[in-house]
Amino acid sequence: MFRTALRNVLAHKARLLMTVLAVMLGVAFVSGTLVFTDTLGNALRNQSAKSYDDVAVSVQTYADQRDQEKTGIDAATLEKIQGIDGVAAAHGRVSGFAGVADPDGKLIGSGWSNTGANFAPGADGKDPQYTFTDGKGPKAGQVALDRATADQGEYQVGDKVRVATNGPVQELTLSGVFTTEDGAVNAGGSLVLFDQRTAQKQYLRPGYFKDVTVTAASGASDTALLEKVEALLPEDATAQTGQALAEEQAKDIESGLTGLNTMLLAFAGIALFVGVFLIANTFTMLIAQRTRELALMRAVGASRRQVKRSVLAEAALVGLVASAVGFGLGLGLAVALRSAMDAFGAEMPAGPLVVSPVAVGSAFGVGVVITVLAAWLPARRAAKIPPVAAMNSVHAVATVKSLVVRNTIGSIVTAAGAVAIVAGASKGGGEGRYLIAGGAFFALLGVMVLIPLLSRPVIAAVRPLLTKVFGVSGKLAAQNAVRNPRRTGTTASALAIGLTLVTGLSVLGLTVGQAIDRMTTDHIRADYMVTMASGRPMDSSALKALEGADGVSAVSPKQAAGFQFEDDYLGASSVTPGAVDKVFHLKVVDGSLATLEDGAIAVDTKTADKRGWKVGDTLPVTFDDEKKGELKVGATFEGNEFLDSVLIDRAVADAHEAAPMIMEIWVNTDGGPSDSARQALVDALGNNPAIDVMDQQEIRNAFGGIINTMLYIMYGLLAMALVIAVLGVVNTLAMSVFERQQEIGMLRAIGLDRRRVKRMIRLEAVVISLFGAVLGTALGVFLGWAIGETIAESVPGYELVLPWDRIAIFLALAGLVGVLAALWPARSAARLNMLTAIKTE
């Protein structure tokens, strides 16, 4: 039986080609994902371990320039650590944001990963964390840059470098260029080294360090040093051995990669799930075409179990071959993903390609198991064919009872899934989304069972149009599409699954995007928003510079503030009275925003109603500096999504803050936004590369752009499932043409020319593709609506938006898919010799 299975695989290799391609693509996705994440994880772990090779003990604190209580490690403590017996060296570290301008004045790096730190030389004048390839470490008025940043900025030792921290831009001399294992640099950021005094002044306070790295003398125990170091540390400091810290970071890296791994494998699973339909269809059709062969095998003594085993062995062989090819393709995919990261500026640490036993086992296991499982039902049907019935080909007729049972089960499962989806939409939140996920699974499953039943009325509805427009070719195409409803349904199911996911994502993405767009339009009056590219607070000098800029009519910061009221801490936006209502749309319900100038606060209506506050109430509060006071409610207003629930005069907030935390500055200019107005703001800020000046459209793009980027990524990942669905259409048509050789020969003999034969096959493909696309689009809209209902409360102004333009594109592409999928089968059908075809059994 194994020889029979091998012979059948070799005999039908052309007809099994699409099955091999489908399994191959799915396996490539699985193996490529596993190899890529293993390689990335291994490289990052090695990099992390390498950066702690010479670290015996690492001391970390939560010191902050804004928090006077958390001072960090002072110079005296550092000297005591350096004096411990067994310590070869101890280096104090401070760090924060620092950005470097390129030749065009633009920020080098991604903003969040642009870092500044201190150069901490030992007695030999070297800092063990950095290897200088040009020049030397910085002194006062100098900086050193990592190699990638220096190359991108075209800087040479001795050049003037424009460096931005959270204050005004500085022009400093480049003292040297170094290489480093710093993860932020490898992630596409930059690293700027300052002399120690300058770094302490910028990031903490003179004479203090945030962290300390300790190097052990030869023969000294890391554990023993750890105990001695811990005895000298303040309460807010923690210490670990370098090995423990490296292991902790390795776990963090592994945890961080889990999400990426899961997401990519989920899309690989979708692709393989779609492939199941193609595989099942292929083996169903192959078995139908080998009816007499199977009957003969049964007649000469083969048992049902042997026939079933023979078909499953064929599937296993196909899965094995496809898995081997797919695994090789997956290795290429992993290399391509690695190169893509480098191309986008996220330089991946050097390291070998990691091919783990898990990746190999998963690839081959998934490929073979999926193929065998998909072929199990066709194999079971083949085994149940009685020899005599098979020889008369009466086995192919489905009984009324089987169709009734199938349609009844499909209806029940679909209804149960739909009820769960609606229940989840009504419930909302996380629990609602879980209900929707479960309901979506059962709804899709039920629809797949019902697709053969649905295909007849749907295709019958378009038959008159096909006949009228395309004549006999259109009529024959419609009839052929419903000749075998199960086959049509299985082929259309693959496209339906892909279009369901794509449409659902589009509905959700467009709806949320437009809600955010409306939120921006409805809540902002300002011409520009000014922020740090790093997402960190701005220095108060930026606010002063903008207030004095030419052409500026109103400026208000959104400054973080807050106070304790009874047992609750309330966050507040510290703003400029008289300007805040000019840069934001604020609808006052009661009182007046002018009272902000008198030290009162304004509260949004939701907070006021929840706490029972009204205009004129006086609230006893405790500020961040622990001082007590009273705040009067001067106004209530309708909530604004860009502001906190409480507004307070920044003069009041600044009196209780060590340093203002200015996250955003909103600006109105005379005459509205223009190139000259923007340039005036940029000039006022000292042409600082680390500060972004965005107009309203750019603000909308910043928020909506994230959603669009995510959508495009999802489209790209789902493309593989759609490619497999297309292969399914090609496979079904090609094998259908093979089955219908005699029929096509008769049609040719009675006058259907080659052109109309091609058109018939193409129209059949288009009908099947559009049927699956319409079904998938309808399900996608339903799921998009349901998921949207669960997030509606957290997205202000949420209103369902149907992306009619994208739906039209999806349907047009489905039709195009049908045309392209039919090219080879249609050509094959048209080239059949009519006399040979008529004689074909």
Side-chain angles (χ1 to χ4, degrees), residues 207-261:
Y208 285 85
F209 301 93
K210 186 175 181 180
D211 305 314
V212 174
T213 54
V214 179
T215 306
S218 179
S221 165
D222 291 357
T223 306
L225 288 179
L226 176 63
E227 292 179 3
K228 295 176 182 178
V229 169
E230 284 181 324
L232 301 174
L233 299 180
E235 290 183 2
D236 64 335
T238 59
Q240 295 175 273
T241 62
Q243 183 179 354
L245 189 58
E247 289 172 358
E248 182 180 301
Q249 288 204 359
K251 290 179 181 178
D252 291 341
I253 290 167
E254 187 174 343
S255 175
L257 290 174
T258 299
L260 174 65
N261 203 29

Side-chain angles (χ1 to χ4, degrees), residues 596-646:
L596 289 173
E597 296 185 39
D598 302 323
I601 60 172
V603 184
D604 72 21
T605 50
K606 286 185 180 179
T607 303
D609 292 343
K610 178 181 177 182
R611 296 183 175 275
W613 295 345
K614 59 183 181 299
V615 171
D617 287 352
T618 300
L619 313 176
V621 301
T622 303
F623 294 100
D624 288 342
D625 59 357
E626 302 300 326
K627 292 183 180 179
K628 297 184 182 297
E630 291 185 344
L631 292 174
K632 185 178 180 180
V633 178
T636 58
F637 64 96
E638 290 187 1
N640 185 297
E641 295 303 321
F642 290 87
L643 293 168
D644 290 300
S645 58
V646 177

Side-chain angles (χ1 to χ4, degrees), residues 495 722 725-727 729-730 765-766 769 811-822:
L495 273 171
L722 293 173
V726 172
L727 294 178
V729 178
V730 175
V766 170
S769 298
L811 294 177
L813 288 175
L816 180 62
V817 160
V819 173
L820 295 176

Side-chain angles (χ1 to χ4, degrees), residues 557-568:
K558 179 191 174 183
Q559 185 175 315
F563 51 82
Q564 190 81 19
F565 174 75
E566 296 179 348
D567 295 330
D568 296 329

Side-chain angles (χ1 to χ4, degrees), residues 436-476:
I436 291 171
F441 174 76
F442 285 106
L444 277 170
L445 195 62
V447 168
M448 288 171 210
V449 175
L450 286 175
I451 271 185
L453 176 66
L454 296 171
S455 65
R456 286 187 178 277
V458 172
I459 295 175
V462 299
R463 186 188 302 169
L465 178 63
L466 290 172
T467 303
K468 185 175 180 180
V469 177
F470 300 103
V472 68
S473 296
K475 183 177 181 180
L476 290 171

Side-chain angles (χ1 to χ4, degrees), residues 48-70:
S48 176
K50 186 177 179 181
S51 63
Y52 292 108
D53 273 350
D54 298 326
V55 177
V57 177
S58 175
V59 179
Q60 296 172 304
T61 74
Y62 299 97
D64 191 319
Q65 195 173 31
R66 300 173 184 276
D67 190 340
Q68 297 296 328
E69 294 183 1
K70 296 177 180 178

